[in-house]
Amino acid sequence: GNSVTQMEGPVTLSEEAFLTINCTYTATGYPSLFWYVQYPGEGLQLLLKATKADDKGSNKGFEATYRKETTSFHLEKGSVQVSDSAVYFCALSDKRNAGNMLTFGGGTRLMVKP
Amino acid sequence: DAEITQSPRHKITETGRQVTLACHQTWNHNNMFWYRQDLGHGLRLIHYSYGVQDTNKGEVSDGYSVSRSNTEDLPLTLESAASSQTSVYFCASSVDSRYEQYFGPGTRLTVT
């Protein structure tokens, strides 16, 4: 079956530091890949997505590239801000599934200190 | 603006009681989903629906049921609440498989 593995947190960084959150996946088909962000007390919001190999998703300074050869979708940001403190979830959607059910990783908590 | 809402936001109930969590979306989305979020497990799919009168079991469906009588609502019922069902519950919807899911704000359920 499908699965997503992401690095355990919490990840603690100083403001303006470089961020990488690793995500690898296992899927039998050709999934779409997503990063969702959850701010304290809120639901999940889509941060970025990529639908095929070598696609790069980007939003709000965050980027992730769909790497089929390494089955990875690592999240990066060049300079984090305190407002980026949140929990980040990597997820995949199997395109063969018409209902686009998502399989989530366990989440990575990011804490950015001023 | 279109949105997805959940109620109640917080609920405390006793073991053995029936509990229903509401989910309402105004986007006219066909697909609706219920997840539970637990530390160390991320989000796990409980039930989902592709349209009116359609319901399907997800990864962790035991002890839960849903019904879809209209496009806007997918209530989640815990038939006999257990302490293992203490969790945060999220509802989500999407227009179809090409688009992302939109999540509600969540319901924190505590079973004592």
Side-chain angles (χ1 to χ4, degrees), chain B residues 7-70:
Chain B
S7 62
R9 294 294 311 277
H10 302 272
K11 174 77 176 178
I12 300 174
T13 191
E14 295 178 345
T15 301
R17 290 191 180 269
Q18 183 181 79
V19 177
T20 296
L21 309 182
C23 174
H24 179 80
Q25 52 97 1
T26 58
W27 282 300
N28 204 36
H29 285 171
N30 289 324
N31 301 343
M32 294 185 74
F33 310 84
W34 273 105
Y35 296 90
R36 60 178 289 175
Q37 182 180 26
D38 305 288
L39 278 175
H41 291 281
L43 277 79
R44 293 180 291 175
L45 183 66
I46 305 171
H47 281 286
Y48 58 100
S49 169
Y50 294 158
V52 176
Q53 302 301 332
D54 176 76
T55 60
N56 305 277
K57 294 181 178 181
E59 178 188 1
V60 290
S61 61
D62 288 348
Y64 303 94
S65 63
V66 293
S67 60
R68 187 88 180 271
S69 59
N70 58 53

Side-chain angles (χ1 to χ4, degrees), chain A residues 34 36 38 41-44 46 49 89 97-102 104-106, chain B residues 9 31 33 35 37 42-43 45 48 50 90 94 97 99-101 103-105:
Chain A
F34 305 84
Y36 280 82
Q38 183 181 29
E42 299 183 9
L44 278 71
L46 179 68
K49 67 179 180 182
F89 291 93
N97 186 325
N100 81 302
M101 288 183 291
L102 291 172
F104 285 90
Chain B
R9 294 294 311 277
N31 301 343
F33 310 84
Y35 296 90
Q37 182 180 26
L43 277 79
L45 183 66
Y48 58 100
Y50 294 158
F90 287 99
S94 69
S97 61
Y99 301 96
E100 68 268 23
Q101 294 182 20
F103 283 78

